Amino acid sequence: MDFQPSERCTELIQRLSAFMDEHVYPAEATYEQQLRESGGAGGIHIQPPIMEELKTRAREAGLWNMFLPDEGHGAGLSNTDYAPLAEILGRSHIASEACNCSAPDTGNMEVLHQFATPEQKERWLQPLLEGEIRSAFAMTEPDVASSDATNIALRIERDGEDYVLNGRKWWTSNALHPHCRIMIVMGKTQPDAPTYTQQSQILVPMDTPGVTIMRGLPVFGYQDHEGQAEVDFSDVRVPAGNLIAREGDGFMIAQARLGPGRIHHCMRSIGAAERALEAMCRRAVSRVTFGQPIATRGNVQDWIAESRIEIEMARLLTLKAAWLMDTVGNRHARTEIAAIKVAAPNIALKVVDRAIQVHGGGGVSDDYTLAWAYAHLRTLRLADGPDEVHKLSIARRELAPYLSREV
């Protein structure tokens, strides 16, 4: 396994790190202030002007669409080369959007790039690539256990030249972003078909009649700027040409979408953990208790050491998964992708929790980024499949050779 970054990746790491230092980190406080001061009907779901400034600067710096491996539209990087860049972006909650590399747009753009018709690409992919609009992904449902995607119940029924959607989704990521214009919705077109060909994915513009945003869902009291929405679909009619690929391809598309997305999530988690470890170290040497810096305490030194060990383990496992995806394909990297999706958020949570403890009361306040990071990372243990589903998948593959011997 060769994890040595390419020359191009090394150069992008340097440029992105400089961009973060010069523009992103200093803009974080301004971003939060502009959200707080927005008020009005939009609440926090407005686009802070500072974000549009950052997007312009990122494009000028050539730090745009770095996630997309297609050289015609993105940076043309391998998964292994994008991994350290995603880690850097994960150090700030505003960096990914600034570089047009934020979920769920990344996954949606990958889906459209791989499966969309030329007309769909022109109408939706191009403005997403340009950062002119944002998008949402609607898969999880409130009335079924969506960790088993075969449970999805929203109906997508053909009616002449249209499809009609009926059902309800929640945790529809990005649906409340003021620039969100399109959703990719997963539902059932063929309930009587074999299990994994019942589902389809279809493009639904946000302003389609019958689409109702019921509410935004807070996470530990935090309302994401992008929003996690509960969305009702009542006789929502869209042209048949909005279907992505063919009827019954929804599960296959979801699997193709989730492989790279999980790697991106994991590397961003490692970036968040690295920043938390840095904050923990700074706090430990600057705060004095009972006459000595906190850094002299054995338990704090243990937390710092454990954090470094765990971060390095997570990074290496993620790089291995990315390397396998590049060399043998996503299918043969399934165990590693599932493993890192469990390991990275859990490890990052541990590191952030330790950093919060070292910060004392400040750690659970909004004066630092730690409380927000904890809420986000805890959510990530559920997003793109909960830990238990990934562990089940790993265990089945580990047991398979032994079960076949028994037979």
Side-chain angles (χ1 to χ4, degrees):
M1 287 173 281
D2 183 8
F3 301 150
Q4 180 66 33
S6 66
E7 289 185 15
R8 183 153 182 247
C9 177
T10 300
E11 189 248 338
L12 282 170
I13 288 172
Q14 294 170 350
R15 281 164 46 196
L16 181 57
S17 297
F19 179 75
M20 297 285 288
D21 290 338
E22 185 177 355
H23 299 295
V24 175
Y25 298 134
E28 288 177 340
T30 303
Y31 180 91
E32 294 300 329
Q33 181 181 358
Q34 289 177 349
L35 282 180
R36 287 194 301 269
E37 293 177 350
S38 64
I44 66 168
H45 303 296
I46 60 101
Q47 182 71 327
I50 190 66
M51 178 55 71
E52 294 304 315
E53 295 176 24
L54 289 172
K55 288 165 65 175
T56 299
R57 291 182 184 276
R59 294 198 70 163
E60 291 171 349
L63 301 170
W64 192 256
N65 292 337
M66 293 178 291
F67 72 95
L68 197 60
D70 176 68
E71 292 185 2
H73 298 106
L77 298 173
S78 65
N79 287 295
T80 309
D81 271 350
Y82 180 62
L85 301 174
E87 177 180 336
I88 295 170
L89 292 173
R91 293 174 59 88
S92 172
H93 65 289
I94 64 174
S96 291
E97 183 176 3
C99 295
N100 213 39
C101 292
S102 56
D105 293 330
T106 49
N108 289 346
M109 284 189 268
E110 285 171 340
V111 164
L112 292 172
H113 180 258
Q114 291 184 62
F115 302 107
T117 64
E119 293 77 14
Q120 290 170 346
K121 290 179 179 179
E122 181 180 1
R123 178 69 184 88
W124 300 114
L125 177 58
Q126 198 55 45
L128 281 168
L129 289 167
E130 295 297 324
E132 297 171 357
I133 65 171
R134 297 292 306 275
S135 62
F137 184 61
M139 181 173 175
T140 306
E141 298 182 5
D143 297 326
V144 298
S146 300
S147 56
D148 176 2
T150 62
N151 283 337
I152 286 172
L154 180 139
R155 289 301 309 274
I156 305 174
E157 298 177 294
R158 186 69 182 257
D159 182 21
E161 296 302 311
D162 297 328
Y163 281 101
V164 179
L165 287 73
N166 281 284
R168 184 167 291 193
K169 298 287 186 179
W170 70 346
W171 301 110
T172 301
S173 48
N174 218 36
L176 293 170
H177 193 288
H179 293 177
C180 187
R181 297 292 179 269
I182 186 69
M183 282 184 286
I184 294 180
V185 182
M186 186 162 169
K188 284 191 176 179
T189 45
Q190 305 172 66
D192 298 325
T195 302
Y196 295 104
T197 57
Q198 297 176 5
Q199 305 85 5
S200 298
Q201 295 194 22
I202 195 164
L203 291 156
V204 179
M206 295 297 296
D207 60 358
T208 305
V211 172
T212 304
I213 303 294
M214 306 297 293
R215 57 176 175 147
L217 298 164
V219 178
F220 292 141
Y222 286 97
Q223 274 281 3
D224 267 352
H225 161 49
E226 291 87 354
Q228 300 287 345
E230 183 172 353
V231 186
D232 186 71
F233 298 80
S234 180
D235 292 329
V236 174
R237 185 176 292 269
V238 296
N242 283 24
L243 189 74
I244 300 174
R246 300 167 301 180
E247 281 195 14
D249 283 345
F251 205 91
M252 177 271 293
I253 295 169
Q255 292 303 303
R257 181 186 194 277
L258 288 173
R262 286 168 178 155
I263 289 290
H264 301 171
H265 276 317
C266 292
M267 291 309 297
R268 286 192 293 264
S269 298
I270 293 167
E274 280 284 7
R275 190 173 182 185
L277 177 55
E278 292 170 9
M280 185 179 356
C281 291
R282 283 195 299 270
R283 185 77 167 188
V285 299
S286 66
R287 301 295 263 201
V288 175
T289 62
F290 307 106
Q292 289 184 305
I294 297 174
T296 64
R297 310 300 177 187
N299 64 319
V300 174
Q301 293 180 1
D302 186 69
W303 293 343
I304 291 169
E306 289 287 344
S307 297
R308 171 49 61 207
I309 293 166
E310 290 164 350
I311 289 172
E312 294 300 327
M313 290 192 299
R315 181 182 291 113
L316 284 171
L317 181 55
T318 307
L319 286 172
K320 180 187 178 185
W323 178 79
L324 286 171
M325 291 167 68
D326 292 334
T327 54
V328 296
N330 295 8
R331 181 177 178 82
H332 296 287
R334 286 180 299 175
T335 295
E336 287 75 12
I337 292 171
I340 194 55
K341 180 57 177 63
V342 174
N346 277 281
I347 285 171
L349 271 172
K350 286 183 184 179
V351 176
V352 172
D353 186 68
R354 293 166 184 150
I356 288 173
Q357 199 70 10
V358 170
H359 280 72
V364 294
S365 75
D366 288 341
D367 289 359
Y368 301 91
T369 61
L370 297 170
W372 181 92
Y374 189 93
H376 176 75
L377 291 165
R378 183 60 186 84
T379 305
L380 196 53
R381 289 188 56 202
L382 297 167
D384 287 355
D387 291 358
E388 292 73 21
V389 170
H390 296 298
K391 289 178 181 178
L392 177 64
S393 175
I394 295 167
R396 282 174 173 171
R397 282 192 284 275
E398 291 295 314
L399 287 168
Y402 302 93
L403 293 171
S404 63
R405 288 175 199 168
E406 292 296 321
V407 173

Short mmCIF file of all heavy atoms in Angstrom, two decimals, residues 63-115:
data_model
loop_
_atom_site.label_atom_id
_atom_site.label_comp_id
_atom_site.label_asym_id
_atom_site.label_seq_id
_atom_site.Cartn_x
_atom_site.Cartn_y
_atom_site.Cartn_z
N LEU A 63 -9.30 25.86 -5.51
CA LEU A 63 -9.67 24.90 -4.47
C LEU A 63 -11.17 24.65 -4.55
O LEU A 63 -11.94 24.95 -3.64
CB LEU A 63 -9.28 25.44 -3.09
CG LEU A 63 -7.79 25.75 -2.90
CD1 LEU A 63 -7.56 26.52 -1.60
CD2 LEU A 63 -6.96 24.47 -2.94
N TRP A 64 -11.61 24.08 -5.65
CA TRP A 64 -13.03 23.99 -5.98
C TRP A 64 -13.34 22.61 -6.53
O TRP A 64 -12.62 22.09 -7.38
CB TRP A 64 -13.36 25.07 -7.01
CG TRP A 64 -14.80 25.32 -7.25
CD1 TRP A 64 -15.55 24.92 -8.32
CD2 TRP A 64 -15.70 26.06 -6.42
NE1 TRP A 64 -16.84 25.35 -8.20
CE2 TRP A 64 -16.96 26.07 -7.04
CE3 TRP A 64 -15.54 26.72 -5.20
CZ2 TRP A 64 -18.06 26.70 -6.49
CZ3 TRP A 64 -16.64 27.35 -4.65
CH2 TRP A 64 -17.88 27.34 -5.29
N ASN A 65 -14.43 22.00 -6.05
CA ASN A 65 -14.85 20.67 -6.52
C ASN A 65 -13.72 19.65 -6.44
O ASN A 65 -13.58 18.78 -7.31
CB ASN A 65 -15.39 20.74 -7.96
CG ASN A 65 -16.68 21.51 -8.07
OD1 ASN A 65 -17.42 21.63 -7.09
ND2 ASN A 65 -16.97 22.04 -9.25
N MET A 66 -12.95 19.70 -5.36
CA MET A 66 -11.79 18.82 -5.25
C MET A 66 -12.20 17.35 -5.07
O MET A 66 -11.39 16.45 -5.31
CB MET A 66 -10.91 19.27 -4.08
CG MET A 66 -10.24 20.60 -4.31
SD MET A 66 -9.25 21.13 -2.89
CE MET A 66 -10.52 21.48 -1.67
N PHE A 67 -13.43 17.10 -4.65
CA PHE A 67 -13.90 15.75 -4.37
C PHE A 67 -14.14 14.94 -5.63
O PHE A 67 -14.11 13.70 -5.59
CB PHE A 67 -15.21 15.81 -3.57
CG PHE A 67 -16.37 16.29 -4.42
CD1 PHE A 67 -17.21 15.38 -5.04
CD2 PHE A 67 -16.60 17.64 -4.62
CE1 PHE A 67 -18.27 15.82 -5.83
CE2 PHE A 67 -17.65 18.08 -5.40
CZ PHE A 67 -18.48 17.16 -6.02
N LEU A 68 -14.42 15.58 -6.75
CA LEU A 68 -14.89 14.89 -7.94
C LEU A 68 -13.71 14.35 -8.75
O LEU A 68 -12.86 15.13 -9.20
CB LEU A 68 -15.75 15.83 -8.80
CG LEU A 68 -16.64 15.17 -9.85
CD1 LEU A 68 -17.63 14.22 -9.19
CD2 LEU A 68 -17.40 16.23 -10.64
N PRO A 69 -13.62 13.03 -8.95
CA PRO A 69 -12.46 12.47 -9.63
C PRO A 69 -12.41 12.74 -11.13
O PRO A 69 -11.38 12.52 -11.76
CB PRO A 69 -12.60 10.96 -9.36
CG PRO A 69 -14.05 10.74 -9.09
CD PRO A 69 -14.53 12.00 -8.43
N ASP A 70 -13.51 13.24 -11.69
CA ASP A 70 -13.54 13.55 -13.12
C ASP A 70 -12.78 14.84 -13.39
O ASP A 70 -13.11 15.89 -12.84
CB ASP A 70 -14.99 13.68 -13.59
CG ASP A 70 -15.08 14.11 -15.04
OD1 ASP A 70 -14.70 13.32 -15.91
OD2 ASP A 70 -15.50 15.26 -15.28
N GLU A 71 -11.78 14.79 -14.25
CA GLU A 71 -10.96 15.96 -14.51
C GLU A 71 -11.71 17.05 -15.27
O GLU A 71 -11.36 18.22 -15.20
CB GLU A 71 -9.71 15.56 -15.30
CG GLU A 71 -8.74 14.71 -14.50
CD GLU A 71 -7.46 14.42 -15.25
OE1 GLU A 71 -7.32 14.93 -16.39
OE2 GLU A 71 -6.60 13.71 -14.72
N GLY A 72 -12.76 16.66 -16.00
CA GLY A 72 -13.51 17.64 -16.74
C GLY A 72 -14.33 18.57 -15.86
O GLY A 72 -14.58 19.72 -16.22
N HIS A 73 -14.76 18.07 -14.69
CA HIS A 73 -15.59 18.86 -13.81
C HIS A 73 -14.97 19.10 -12.44
O HIS A 73 -15.29 20.07 -11.77
CB HIS A 73 -16.95 18.18 -13.62
CG HIS A 73 -17.73 18.04 -14.89
ND1 HIS A 73 -17.88 16.84 -15.55
CD2 HIS A 73 -18.40 18.95 -15.62
CE1 HIS A 73 -18.62 17.02 -16.62
NE2 HIS A 73 -18.95 18.29 -16.69
N GLY A 74 -14.12 18.20 -12.01
CA GLY A 74 -13.52 18.31 -10.69
C GLY A 74 -12.01 18.35 -10.76
O GLY A 74 -11.42 18.65 -11.81
N ALA A 75 -11.39 17.98 -9.65
CA ALA A 75 -9.93 18.04 -9.56
C ALA A 75 -9.26 16.82 -10.17
O ALA A 75 -8.05 16.82 -10.41
CB ALA A 75 -9.51 18.19 -8.09
N GLY A 76 -10.03 15.76 -10.42
CA GLY A 76 -9.44 14.56 -11.00
C GLY A 76 -8.56 13.80 -10.03
O GLY A 76 -7.65 13.09 -10.46
N LEU A 77 -8.83 13.92 -8.73
CA LEU A 77 -8.00 13.26 -7.72
C LEU A 77 -8.53 11.86 -7.42
O LEU A 77 -9.73 11.60 -7.50
CB LEU A 77 -7.99 14.07 -6.43
CG LEU A 77 -7.41 15.49 -6.50
CD1 LEU A 77 -7.65 16.20 -5.17
CD2 LEU A 77 -5.92 15.46 -6.83
N SER A 78 -7.63 10.97 -7.04
CA SER A 78 -8.02 9.66 -6.54
C SER A 78 -8.60 9.82 -5.14
O SER A 78 -8.46 10.88 -4.51
CB SER A 78 -6.81 8.73 -6.50
OG SER A 78 -5.86 9.22 -5.55
N ASN A 79 -9.24 8.77 -4.64
CA ASN A 79 -9.73 8.80 -3.27
C ASN A 79 -8.59 9.00 -2.28
O ASN A 79 -8.73 9.72 -1.29
CB ASN A 79 -10.47 7.49 -2.95
CG ASN A 79 -11.81 7.40 -3.63
OD1 ASN A 79 -12.72 8.17 -3.36
ND2 ASN A 79 -11.95 6.45 -4.54
N THR A 80 -7.44 8.36 -2.57
CA THR A 80 -6.30 8.47 -1.67
C THR A 80 -5.76 9.90 -1.63
O THR A 80 -5.35 10.39 -0.57
CB THR A 80 -5.18 7.51 -2.11
OG1 THR A 80 -5.73 6.19 -2.26
CG2 THR A 80 -4.06 7.46 -1.09
N ASP A 81 -5.77 10.58 -2.77
CA ASP A 81 -5.29 11.95 -2.80
C ASP A 81 -6.29 12.94 -2.23
O ASP A 81 -5.91 13.97 -1.66
CB ASP A 81 -4.94 12.36 -4.24
CG ASP A 81 -3.50 12.04 -4.60
OD1 ASP A 81 -2.73 11.68 -3.69
OD2 ASP A 81 -3.14 12.15 -5.79
N TYR A 82 -7.58 12.64 -2.36
CA TYR A 82 -8.57 13.56 -1.79
C TYR A 82 -8.67 13.43 -0.28
O TYR A 82 -9.02 14.39 0.42
CB TYR A 82 -9.96 13.32 -2.41
CG TYR A 82 -11.00 14.27 -1.85
CD1 TYR A 82 -10.88 15.65 -2.04
CD2 TYR A 82 -12.07 13.79 -1.11
CE1 TYR A 82 -11.83 16.52 -1.50
CE2 TYR A 82 -13.02 14.65 -0.58
CZ TYR A 82 -12.89 16.02 -0.78
OH TYR A 82 -13.81 16.88 -0.25
N ALA A 83 -8.32 12.25 0.25
CA ALA A 83 -8.48 12.00 1.69
C ALA A 83 -7.81 13.06 2.57
O ALA A 83 -8.45 13.60 3.48
CB ALA A 83 -7.96 10.60 2.03
N PRO A 84 -6.53 13.40 2.37
CA PRO A 84 -5.93 14.42 3.25
C PRO A 84 -6.55 15.80 3.06
O PRO A 84 -6.56 16.61 4.00
CB PRO A 84 -4.45 14.41 2.86
CG PRO A 84 -4.40 13.79 1.51
CD PRO A 84 -5.53 12.83 1.46
N LEU A 85 -7.10 16.08 1.89
CA LEU A 85 -7.75 17.37 1.66
C LEU A 85 -9.08 17.41 2.44
O LEU A 85 -9.42 18.42 3.04
CB LEU A 85 -8.00 17.59 0.18
CG LEU A 85 -6.73 17.58 -0.71
CD1 LEU A 85 -7.11 17.66 -2.18
CD2 LEU A 85 -5.80 18.73 -0.33
N ALA A 86 -9.82 16.29 2.42
CA ALA A 86 -11.06 16.22 3.19
C ALA A 86 -10.78 16.37 4.68
O ALA A 86 -11.56 16.98 5.42
CB ALA A 86 -11.78 14.89 2.91
N GLU A 87 -9.66 15.82 5.13
CA GLU A 87 -9.29 15.97 6.54
C GLU A 87 -9.08 17.44 6.89
O GLU A 87 -9.55 17.92 7.93
CB GLU A 87 -8.02 15.18 6.85
CG GLU A 87 -7.56 15.36 8.29
CD GLU A 87 -6.30 14.58 8.62
OE1 GLU A 87 -6.01 13.58 7.95
OE2 GLU A 87 -5.61 14.98 9.58
N ILE A 88 -8.40 18.16 6.03
CA ILE A 88 -8.17 19.59 6.28
C ILE A 88 -9.51 20.33 6.31
O ILE A 88 -9.75 21.17 7.18
CB ILE A 88 -7.23 20.18 5.21
CG1 ILE A 88 -5.84 19.54 5.34
CG2 ILE A 88 -7.12 21.69 5.36
CD1 ILE A 88 -4.91 19.86 4.19
N LEU A 89 -10.39 20.03 5.36
CA LEU A 89 -11.70 20.69 5.32
C LEU A 89 -12.49 20.40 6.59
O LEU A 89 -13.24 21.25 7.08
CB LEU A 89 -12.49 20.21 4.10
CG LEU A 89 -11.96 20.64 2.73
CD1 LEU A 89 -12.75 19.95 1.62
CD2 LEU A 89 -12.01 22.15 2.56
N GLY A 90 -12.33 19.20 7.15
CA GLY A 90 -13.08 18.81 8.34
C GLY A 90 -12.69 19.57 9.59
O GLY A 90 -13.39 19.48 10.61
N ARG A 91 -11.62 20.33 9.52
CA ARG A 91 -11.20 21.10 10.68
C ARG A 91 -12.12 22.30 10.95
O ARG A 91 -12.08 22.87 12.03
CB ARG A 91 -9.75 21.58 10.47
CG ARG A 91 -8.73 20.45 10.46
CD ARG A 91 -7.35 20.98 10.09
NE ARG A 91 -6.92 21.98 11.03
CZ ARG A 91 -6.26 21.74 12.17
NH1 ARG A 91 -5.96 20.49 12.50
NH2 ARG A 91 -5.89 22.70 12.98
N SER A 92 -12.91 22.69 9.97
CA SER A 92 -13.81 23.82 10.13
C SER A 92 -15.18 23.48 9.57
O SER A 92 -15.29 22.87 8.50
CB SER A 92 -13.26 25.06 9.41
OG SER A 92 -14.22 26.10 9.41
N HIS A 93 -16.23 23.90 10.26
CA HIS A 93 -17.58 23.58 9.79
C HIS A 93 -18.02 24.42 8.61
O HIS A 93 -19.10 24.19 8.05
CB HIS A 93 -18.59 23.73 10.94
CG HIS A 93 -18.75 25.12 11.46
ND1 HIS A 93 -17.78 25.76 12.20
CD2 HIS A 93 -19.78 26.01 11.35
CE1 HIS A 93 -18.19 26.97 12.52
NE2 HIS A 93 -19.41 27.16 12.02
N ILE A 94 -17.20 25.39 8.19
CA ILE A 94 -17.58 26.19 7.02
C ILE A 94 -16.69 25.95 5.82
O ILE A 94 -16.95 26.46 4.74
CB ILE A 94 -17.60 27.70 7.36
CG1 ILE A 94 -16.20 28.21 7.71
CG2 ILE A 94 -18.58 27.99 8.49
CD1 ILE A 94 -16.13 29.72 7.90
N ALA A 95 -15.64 25.14 5.98
CA ALA A 95 -14.66 25.00 4.91
C ALA A 95 -15.19 24.23 3.71
O ALA A 95 -14.90 24.58 2.55
CB ALA A 95 -13.39 24.32 5.44
N SER A 96 -15.95 23.17 3.95
CA SER A 96 -16.39 22.33 2.83
C SER A 96 -17.30 23.10 1.88
O SER A 96 -17.15 23.01 0.66
CB SER A 96 -17.11 21.09 3.37
OG SER A 96 -16.21 20.23 4.02
N GLU A 97 -18.24 23.86 2.43
CA GLU A 97 -19.12 24.64 1.56
C GLU A 97 -18.33 25.70 0.81
O GLU A 97 -18.59 25.96 -0.37
CB GLU A 97 -20.25 25.30 2.34
CG GLU A 97 -21.23 26.05 1.43
CD GLU A 97 -22.42 26.65 2.16
OE1 GLU A 97 -22.49 26.55 3.40
OE2 GLU A 97 -23.29 27.23 1.47
N ALA A 98 -17.34 26.28 1.47
CA ALA A 98 -16.54 27.32 0.82
C ALA A 98 -15.84 26.78 -0.42
O ALA A 98 -15.64 27.52 -1.40
CB ALA A 98 -15.50 27.87 1.80
N CYS A 99 -15.50 25.49 -0.42
CA CYS A 99 -14.78 24.88 -1.55
C CYS A 99 -15.70 24.02 -2.41
O CYS A 99 -15.23 23.25 -3.25
CB CYS A 99 -13.62 24.04 -1.03
SG CYS A 99 -12.33 25.00 -0.20
N ASN A 100 -17.02 24.15 -2.22
CA ASN A 100 -18.02 23.37 -2.96
C ASN A 100 -17.78 21.87 -2.81
O ASN A 100 -17.90 21.11 -3.77
CB ASN A 100 -18.04 23.75 -4.44
CG ASN A 100 -19.44 23.63 -5.04
OD1 ASN A 100 -20.44 23.97 -4.41
ND2 ASN A 100 -19.53 23.15 -6.28
N CYS A 101 -17.43 21.46 -1.60
CA CYS A 101 -17.13 20.06 -1.31
C CYS A 101 -17.96 19.54 -0.15
O CYS A 101 -17.52 18.64 0.58
CB CYS A 101 -15.64 19.89 -0.99
SG CYS A 101 -14.53 20.17 -2.38
N SER A 102 -19.15 20.09 0.06
CA SER A 102 -19.93 19.71 1.24
C SER A 102 -21.03 18.72 0.88
O SER A 102 -21.59 18.74 -0.22
CB SER A 102 -20.54 20.95 1.91
OG SER A 102 -21.31 21.68 0.99
N ALA A 103 -21.31 17.84 1.85
CA ALA A 103 -22.43 16.92 1.71
C ALA A 103 -23.74 17.67 1.96
O ALA A 103 -23.75 18.65 2.70
CB ALA A 103 -22.28 15.78 2.72
N PRO A 104 -24.84 17.24 1.35
CA PRO A 104 -24.96 16.09 0.45
C PRO A 104 -24.67 16.42 -1.01
O PRO A 104 -24.85 15.57 -1.88
CB PRO A 104 -26.42 15.69 0.62
CG PRO A 104 -27.12 17.00 0.80
CD PRO A 104 -26.17 17.85 1.63
N ASP A 105 -24.25 17.66 -1.29
CA ASP A 105 -24.01 18.03 -2.69
C ASP A 105 -22.97 17.14 -3.35
O ASP A 105 -23.08 16.81 -4.53
CB ASP A 105 -23.56 19.50 -2.77
CG ASP A 105 -24.66 20.47 -2.36
OD1 ASP A 105 -25.84 20.13 -2.55
OD2 ASP A 105 -24.34 21.55 -1.85
N THR A 106 -21.92 16.77 -2.59
CA THR A 106 -20.88 15.94 -3.18
C THR A 106 -21.47 14.63 -3.69
O THR A 106 -21.24 14.22 -4.83
CB THR A 106 -19.76 15.68 -2.18
OG1 THR A 106 -20.34 15.23 -0.94
CG2 THR A 106 -18.95 16.94 -1.91
N GLY A 107 -22.24 13.96 -2.83
CA GLY A 107 -22.85 12.71 -3.24
C GLY A 107 -23.85 12.89 -4.36
O GLY A 107 -23.90 12.09 -5.31
N ASN A 108 -24.64 13.95 -4.29
CA ASN A 108 -25.61 14.20 -5.35
C ASN A 108 -24.93 14.50 -6.69
O ASN A 108 -25.38 14.03 -7.74
CB ASN A 108 -26.51 15.37 -4.96
CG ASN A 108 -27.48 15.02 -3.84
OD1 ASN A 108 -27.67 13.85 -3.52
ND2 ASN A 108 -28.09 16.02 -3.25
N MET A 109 -23.84 15.26 -6.63
CA MET A 109 -23.12 15.55 -7.88
C MET A 109 -22.49 14.28 -8.46
O MET A 109 -22.46 14.09 -9.67
CB MET A 109 -22.07 16.63 -7.64
CG MET A 109 -22.66 18.03 -7.53
SD MET A 109 -21.40 19.35 -7.50
CE MET A 109 -21.14 19.53 -5.74
N GLU A 110 -21.99 13.41 -7.58
CA GLU A 110 -21.43 12.15 -8.06
C GLU A 110 -22.50 11.30 -8.72
O GLU A 110 -22.27 10.68 -9.77
CB GLU A 110 -20.77 11.40 -6.90
CG GLU A 110 -19.44 12.01 -6.48
CD GLU A 110 -18.90 11.40 -5.19
OE1 GLU A 110 -19.71 10.80 -4.44
OE2 GLU A 110 -17.70 11.53 -4.94
N VAL A 111 -23.70 11.26 -8.12
CA VAL A 111 -24.80 10.51 -8.71
C VAL A 111 -25.17 11.07 -10.08
O VAL A 111 -25.32 10.33 -11.06
CB VAL A 111 -26.03 10.53 -7.77
CG1 VAL A 111 -27.30 10.10 -8.51
CG2 VAL A 111 -25.80 9.63 -6.57
N LEU A 112 -25.31 12.38 -10.15
CA LEU A 112 -25.67 12.99 -11.43
C LEU A 112 -24.57 12.80 -12.47
O LEU A 112 -24.85 12.57 -13.65
CB LEU A 112 -25.96 14.49 -11.22
CG LEU A 112 -27.21 14.80 -10.40
CD1 LEU A 112 -27.29 16.29 -10.08
CD2 LEU A 112 -28.47 14.35 -11.13
N HIS A 113 -23.34 12.89 -12.03
CA HIS A 113 -22.22 12.71 -12.97
C HIS A 113 -22.20 11.29 -13.54
O HIS A 113 -21.94 11.09 -14.73
CB HIS A 113 -20.90 13.01 -12.26
CG HIS A 113 -19.70 12.84 -13.13
ND1 HIS A 113 -18.88 11.73 -13.07
CD2 HIS A 113 -19.20 13.62 -14.11
CE1 HIS A 113 -17.92 11.84 -13.96
NE2 HIS A 113 -18.09 12.97 -14.61
N GLN A 114 -22.52 10.30 -12.68
CA GLN A 114 -22.45 8.90 -13.12
C GLN A 114 -23.71 8.44 -13.85
O GLN A 114 -23.62 7.66 -14.80
CB GLN A 114 -22.23 7.99 -11.91
CG GLN A 114 -20.88 8.10 -11.26
CD GLN A 114 -20.72 7.09 -10.13
OE1 GLN A 114 -20.76 5.88 -10.33
NE2 GLN A 114 -20.55 7.60 -8.92
N PHE A 115 -24.88 8.91 -13.42
CA PHE A 115 -26.12 8.28 -13.86
C PHE A 115 -27.09 9.21 -14.59
O PHE A 115 -28.06 8.72 -15.18
CB PHE A 115 -26.85 7.67 -12.66
CG PHE A 115 -26.04 6.66 -11.90
CD1 PHE A 115 -25.50 6.95 -10.66
CD2 PHE A 115 -25.80 5.40 -12.44
CE1 PHE A 115 -24.75 6.02 -9.96
CE2 PHE A 115 -25.05 4.45 -11.76
CZ PHE A 115 -24.52 4.77 -10.51
#
